[in-house]
Amino acid sequence: MKKLGIDFYQRKDVVEIARELIGKMLVTSFNGIITSGRIAETEAYNGVTDKASHAYGGRRTNRTEVMYMPGGAAYVYLCYGIHHLFNVVTNIADEPHAVLIRAVIIVDGSEKILERLGKKILKNNLLKGPGVVSKGLGISTAATGTSLLDTNIFIYEDGFEVASSNIIATPRIGIDYAEEDALLPYRFVLNA
DNA sequence: CGACCGATCGTCT
DNA sequence: GACGATCGGTCGA
């Protein structure tokens, strides 16, 4: 087990990072309660030139400020007034790249995850959908800006190998407003 | 099944 | 004052 370090997050190619995050382990540890899952779906948001990104055109607001931090921070924001979406900030400071985690396969703490979701049985042992991933792992907007090099939220690799043929690239979800950028194959799905 | 719709509120204009 | 990087329930076939 090897926690991903600053050298992983601060690279320039956010699309490559999004692809490499498939198969890695995402862990949260709040109040001694550990939950984790293997990342099964990601989306890359490619900085100021990406019309789908909150930081498109260099937009800089209170909400998006975290995206301009050095790679290795968590960017969590509220969507539709209900859902807390968890992103990994990448690249160096002032290059606002991020990877949205859209699905994980539950590994540790399934009982706690079910409790957070208010459910008894979880289909496919999968947290599918970015809002549900955050809810199940206990991540909220309060965690935005948290360092992934710390112990509350982090990502590690455990030697689980994913053949590149088992990673499918597709356009991103829910970003029709992004015009031509809506078609970019920046979404990666683990072939189950 | 798939299509549709309502919930709900912080953020930006 | 409008609108989401969504979700889950309901309705009809």
Side-chain angles (χ1 to χ4, degrees), chain A residues 22 59 77 98 148 170 180:
Chain A
I22 297 291
R59 255 188 344 154
Y77 72 95
L148 302 180
T170 79
E180 73 273 14

Side-chain angles (χ1 to χ4, degrees), chain A residues 18-40:
Chain A
R19 189 190 299 111
E20 291 181 10
L21 280 173
I22 297 291
K24 300 288 190 288
M25 291 290 298
L26 172 61
V27 185
T28 64
S29 174
F30 299 119
N31 302 316
I33 298 167
I34 294 175
T35 50
S36 75
R38 192 176 301 284
I39 297 170

